[in-house]
Amino acid sequence: MSGPASVKKVCVIGAGTMGAGIAAQVANAGIPVLLLDIVRDPDDRNAVAAGAVAKMLKTDPAPFMSKAAAKLVETGNIEDDLAKIADCDWIVEAIVERLDLKHGLYEKIEAHRRPDAAVSSNTSTIPLGQLIEGRSEGFRSHFLITHFFNPPRYMRLLEIVTGAESDTALVERIADFADRTLGKSVVRAKDTPGFIANRIGTFWIQAALNAAFDLGITVEQADAIAGKPMGVPKTGVFGLVDLVGIDLMPYLQKSLTSTLPADDPYQAIARPAPLIDRMIADGYTGRKGKGGFYRLNRDAGKRKEAIDLSTGDYRPAIKAPSVSGAAGKGDLAALIALPGDAGAYAWAILGATLSYAASLVPEIADDIVGVDTAMKLGYNWKFGPFELIDKIGAAKVAERLAAEGRPVPALLTLAGDRSFYRVENGKRQYLGLDGDYHDVVRPEGVLLLEDIKLSSQPLIKNGSAALWDIGDGVVAFEFTGKMNALDGDVMALIGKAIPLVQEKYKALVVYNEGSNFSAGANLGLALFALNIAAWGEIEKLVAGGQEAYKALKYAPFPVVSAPSGMALGGGCEILLNSDAVQAHAESYIGLVECGVGLIPGWGGCGEMLDRWRQNPALPKGPMPSVAKVFETVSTATVAKSAAEAKEYGFLRPSDGITMNRVRLLSDAKAKALALVEGYAPPAPPEFRLPGAGGKVALELAVEGFQARGLATSYDGVVSGALADVLSGGEKDLIDIVSEADLLALERKAFMQLVRDPRTQARVEQMLVTGKPLRN
Ligand code: NAD
């Protein structure tokens, strides 16, 4: 054994885009990190690294998950502080992409690192063999490439590349740390140019740009075809290039053309693009520059414009017709069969990119699963290349390539008329290079509803929710409605789930695999009810939700909620009513009802009060906690990470945080099982609240905001209703306010607001534009 048992301290050298972001993610995981860069200013020797941290604290989306995380980063410089790397278990090099500089740095690292410490490079293009030239045997066996994607907090992919001399146990430990602690999904890549994701991704971008130029279609048309219909983010390709920086294109092209063999298909499609060169020379490098293929023309009232690919001039943006029918909804066979430019463009991209990907296994990865994972997590594709081939049919792709006189990759021939993936006996399997199917094996501690669904049926379900047996006596409650919106059906299924779990199971986990846990109540439904003045229906939904959530809270078994992505409004209140939460680190939690002119109506007010009054950091007495909840809820605050959600009281200090998305269900299940023995539901809380006097104080604060233009006149009405609930309504300090009293106050305030046309206008605007109306 030649590596540290676990990683307790990390050093990142190079505090640029990647190094700073990697250091932040290490700190997000609660691990101390030393961030070093060169000395640029002799009077302020740590300025580069310290400046990078300061800049990150102002960056949006934030690299840090909390201010506390930022404090775990110690900054320094490579002249004065290299000796400190002796304390570090893992040293990550993320300096400029120059072999000579990397060599020089490794020599210095070698002099200071502990013999058991791992050293890795974040290089995108330099082969491992060249990086370790001239180093000792010990250094070489402790060296690997860890290729993070930008931005390191948000991109889930980590490609790990090892050499023949790499110490396997050490590599396993770093991979495990990256997975569990840093939350990255690790894909093992071979030591080839561009590794997996950039090799295929760069080819795909180039193919898409070329085809748009060749067919003479507009950038809007191109992105409408290459985006959503292919399961690619809706930026498509031109929008993506604007986002990452147009100046990166020639750089990537040069790097790959100079390192790939002459007969690599990329060489044939990499061609000069005078328009792109001109754009870069003129400072049109994309969103970070003066504009890109798209821009907002500030001189023309922020008009959206796009580049005319034939003239290179900007023109007003057009709305390209979206691809309709099955072809627009993921039926790729229909997409490539479309007549005219749409089908031709789709096939130009897919035919080239998918056959290229198929030709690269096993050159770049041992199997197709790694390739698909890399493209999904590194480029945010919904489906990997082999999953895309399956959507068309491997045989059909091969047939069309052959008919066009193009080479058919051996892997496509091997597949024949079979698919690359199949489900056999409830297990997902992939086609191996041996021509046989093999189970897709999940790492230990990874449990996915997606897999459970292959081998079982829901215990019960309706149109908005389903209940699944996830083993060991635990049941998962899944929201299944459009965007996981909450409605009467969700509440009804909670009602049915409780006796079922009580009778046959031990615990319940509220979990789903949507990109957002739930953005709250179904506003569309609410607006419909509003428009027909179905007040009784609305009141029923409010009361029904309160009842369902409290039934969960007082159920005779543990309930653990496990959010990832947005958990807003009613999606947050279900967390507040759970015994415990196991949250994905990337959870965005908040009570946002005031934004649409409402207040939390499913028990959120009382639960938040209960949490804050137990917070030892607040002064004694009822007012501090009331003021805290008022401040958070009246401003519709959303925590931008699970760590931040703890600061706002949406999560308890004891709630768990899972860094890796795919480990969330397993962690939540373990947390629920740990609560089973001796479980007793909580006792209903009783409050002493400040009453009318407290309400006046809160309203005064809002008037102050209004005077400074920070709150609108209707904000005053909405927060007045909230203040009424939080201060206990008619009750006074000497009275006891029960949980039921607070729920009744919530209902009353909610119903009063919902009848106000100004609330209705807010709801309507939110539904139509997704942005709040400030009336
Ligand atoms: P960058 O230019 O933003 O930052 C490089 C940093 O390294 C600078 O702060 C510079 O001062 C510092 N530096 C230069 N020489 C040094 C030395 N001898 N010792 C210490 N510090 C030194 O670069 P980046 O984009 O962060 O890229 C860093 C590495 O990550 C490169 O190897 C790059 O190929 C790779 N990479 C970049 C991306 C990306 O999207 N930018 C993605 C994956 C990998």
Side-chain angles (χ1 to χ4, degrees):
M1 298 292 277
S2 50
S6 65
V7 178
K8 297 204 174 63
K9 184 161 183 187
V10 174
C11 173
V12 179
I13 307 183
T17 312
M18 293 307 292
I22 295 165
Q25 184 64 4
V26 172
N28 289 334
I31 306 290
V33 52
L34 176 66
L35 179 62
L36 306 180
D37 206 292
I38 51 175
V39 176
R40 220 168 263 158
D41 175 357
D43 297 326
D44 188 0
R45 300 178 64 81
N46 298 341
V48 182
V53 172
K55 189 171 149 210
M56 285 198 292
L57 284 167
K58 294 196 203 109
T59 304
D60 185 31
F64 286 115
M65 292 181 183
S66 67
K67 296 223 164 53
K71 297 208 175 82
L72 285 174
V73 184
E74 176 192 348
T75 53
N77 70 72
I78 52 160
E79 288 174 29
D80 307 331
D81 301 307
L82 266 188
K84 293 185 185 165
I85 68 173
D87 297 336
C88 299
D89 306 303
W90 179 18
I91 300 143
V92 183
E93 171 273 304
I95 70 167
V96 283
E97 193 72 332
R98 267 183 51 190
L99 186 59
D100 57 336
L101 295 181
K102 292 190 196 264
H103 275 162
L105 180 64
Y106 295 168
E107 197 175 333
K108 292 186 194 144
I109 293 176
E110 173 140 35
H112 293 283
R113 80 173 182 102
R114 248 188 9 239
D116 63 353
V119 182
S120 74
S121 174
N122 193 53
T123 181
S124 304
T125 56
I126 307 174
L128 185 139
Q130 288 179 21
L131 290 172
I132 54 175
E133 266 165 21
R135 298 272 62 78
S136 70
E137 207 177 294
F139 187 99
R140 294 157 78 99
S141 65
H142 285 71
F143 186 86
L144 64 157
I145 289 172
T146 49
H147 186 236
F148 287 85
F149 284 70
N150 188 24
R153 169 177 165 188
Y154 298 96
M155 296 303 290
R156 286 169 49 197
L157 178 62
L158 176 67
E159 290 175 331
I160 285 192
V161 182
T162 56
E165 295 169 75
S166 306
D167 178 317
T168 340
L170 172 108
V171 171
E172 281 310 317
R173 272 196 294 279
I174 295 297
D176 191 62
F177 175 77
D179 171 341
R180 290 171 201 269
T181 311
L182 300 184
K184 299 297 140 198
S185 281
V186 174
V187 170
R188 301 294 288 267
K190 306 276 187 76
D191 192 11
T192 56
F195 311 128
I196 300 173
N198 285 342
R199 175 86 172 268
I200 296 172
T202 308
F203 183 98
W204 163 68
I205 292 171
Q206 186 77 54
L209 297 185
N210 289 357
F213 280 103
D214 294 348
L215 286 166
I217 60 174
T218 64
V219 294
E220 292 95 333
Q221 266 175 303
D223 286 348
I225 299 161
K228 219 176 126 240
M230 297 190 191
V232 164
K234 67 175 189 304
T235 47
V237 170
F238 287 98
L240 173 71
V241 174
D242 276 359
L243 192 70
V244 297
I246 298 178
D247 49 334
L248 209 63
M249 289 298 107
Y251 169 79
L252 283 174
Q253 199 181 78
K254 188 164 155 262
S255 145
L256 282 177
T257 47
S258 63
T259 47
L260 289 173
D263 61 354
D264 190 277
Y266 181 72
Q267 305 282 12
I269 70 162
R271 45 159 119 139
L275 171 63
I276 290 182
D277 294 340
R278 204 182 81 203
M279 287 172 75
I280 298 168
D282 294 344
Y284 290 94
T285 50
R287 291 201 200 175
K288 65 177 175 187
K290 290 196 247 176
F293 291 106
Y294 299 94
R295 73 164 176 188
L296 286 178
N297 188 341
R298 291 181 203 288
D299 298 335
K302 284 199 174 175
R303 181 174 68 191
K304 194 165 180 202
E305 297 184 335
I307 289 244
D308 180 324
L309 292 180
S310 56
T311 63
D313 297 326
Y314 282 106
R315 49 147 178 86
I318 50 163
K319 179 137 182 47
S322 53
V323 182
S324 59
K329 293 201 174 64
D331 182 342
L332 291 189
L335 185 70
I336 59 171
L338 285 178
D341 289 342
Y345 187 58
W347 173 247
I349 299 174
L350 290 174
T353 309
L354 300 182
S355 60
Y356 187 54
S359 74
L360 292 176
V361 182
E363 183 192 327
I364 61 171
D366 282 334
D367 56 49
I368 63 169
V369 184
V371 173
D372 281 340
T373 307
M375 293 316 293
K376 288 190 279 189
L377 300 184
Y379 276 74
N380 290 330
W381 289 11
K382 203 162 163 199
F383 308 100
F386 294 94
E387 292 166 331
L388 291 171
I389 294 176
D390 276 353
K391 284 176 170 289
I392 304 172
K396 277 202 186 143
V397 174
E399 206 175 284
R400 187 152 171 185
L401 290 171
E404 291 171 2
R406 296 158 70 177
V408 176
L411 203 52
L412 279 182
T413 310
L414 179 76
D417 50 18
R418 296 179 296 171
S419 55
F420 281 105
Y421 293 93
R422 70 170 187 189
V423 176
E424 191 75 359
N425 301 324
K427 283 225 153 60
R428 192 165 146 85
Q429 296 187 320
Y430 69 95
L431 186 68
L433 298 175
D434 56 1
D436 286 335
Y437 285 98
H438 303 268
D439 287 351
V440 174
V441 181
R442 307 285 187 196
E444 184 254 311
V446 174
L447 179 65
L448 295 173
L449 210 45
E450 172 195 325
D451 290 347
I452 290 165
K453 288 179 181 181
L454 297 178
S455 59
S456 63
Q457 294 297 320
L459 298 168
I460 43 172
K461 68 166 186 177
N462 62 24
S464 301
L467 201 66
W468 300 89
D469 182 340
I470 60 167
D472 302 310
V474 182
V475 166
F477 190 98
E478 181 195 24
F479 308 140
T480 59
K482 196 165 172 232
M483 296 174 74
N484 292 335
L486 306 172
D487 59 15
D489 273 358
V490 170
M491 303 308 164
L493 207 80
I494 291 178
K496 288 195 175 152
I498 291 173
L500 199 134
V501 177
Q502 183 174 358
E503 191 189 337
K504 296 199 183 127
Y505 297 89
K506 295 181 192 161
L508 181 78
V509 167
V510 183
Y511 168 86
N512 64 70
E513 278 161 14
S515 38
N516 291 310
F517 178 73
S518 172
N522 186 336
L523 279 184
L525 209 70
L527 188 67
F528 178 73
L530 285 176
N531 283 334
I532 57 167
W535 309 122
E537 287 307 305
I538 295 176
E539 187 147 19
K540 227 163 63 194
L541 187 65
V542 179
Q546 289 187 341
E547 207 176 294
Y549 281 14
K550 289 305 165 200
L552 270 186
K553 179 176 172 184
Y554 298 114
F557 50 80
V559 175
V560 172
S561 286
S564 172
M566 287 192 267
L568 305 178
C572 170
E573 286 172 296
I574 201 165
L575 312 183
L576 294 171
N577 280 290
S578 303
D579 292 299
V581 175
Q582 182 70 31
H584 179 214
E586 299 297 350
S587 292
Y588 316 117
I589 305 176
L591 292 171
V592 295
E593 289 85 348
C594 289
V596 289
L598 295 168
I599 61 147
W602 287 337
C605 295
E607 292 304 323
M608 284 294 277
L609 283 176
D610 195 26
R611 277 161 195 227
W612 274 104
R613 68 180 178 161
Q614 293 173 43
N615 190 315
L618 289 189
K620 291 254 168 294
M623 202 53 203
S625 52
V626 169
K628 197 80 200 172
V629 177
F630 181 76
E631 179 192 318
T632 311
V633 178
S634 67
T635 51
T637 308
V638 177
K640 295 205 177 77
S641 65
E644 222 179 82
K646 290 196 173 189
E647 293 171 21
Y648 290 119
F650 297 126
L651 297 181
R652 299 178 177 94
S654 55
D655 286 334
I657 297 179
T658 296
M659 291 295 281
N660 195 334
R661 177 66 183 89
V662 293
R663 297 183 174 277
L664 182 59
L665 181 57
S666 173
D667 288 354
K669 179 176 160 183
K671 195 165 188 89
L673 283 171
L675 292 175
V676 168
E677 208 183 298
Y679 178 79
E686 290 182 334
F687 300 89
R688 282 191 194 277
L689 296 170
K695 187 180 171 194
V696 170
L698 298 177
E699 284 175 341
L700 270 178
V702 176
E703 278 168 29
F705 281 128
Q706 285 175 325
R708 285 159 58 206
L710 298 172
T712 66
S713 73
Y714 193 53
D715 285 340
V717 177
V718 177
S719 46
L722 177 69
D724 197 51
V725 178
L726 296 177
S727 55
E730 303 290 305
K731 301 264 175 144
D732 220 326
L733 250 183
I734 48 164
D735 300 320
I736 299 249
V737 181
S738 69
E739 185 173 70
D741 293 336
L742 273 176
L743 291 173
L745 284 172
E746 268 190 357
R747 284 198 303 275
K748 193 179 125 211
F750 191 98
M751 291 312 298
Q752 172 201 327
L753 291 170
V754 94
R755 287 169 186 264
D756 193 305
R758 291 167 291 182
T759 288
Q760 296 169 16
R762 283 190 180 191
V763 172
E764 188 159 357
Q765 162 138 339
M766 181 57 78
L767 271 175
V768 175
T769 67
K771 297 208 174 73
L773 172 69
R774 309 286 294 136
N775 59 350

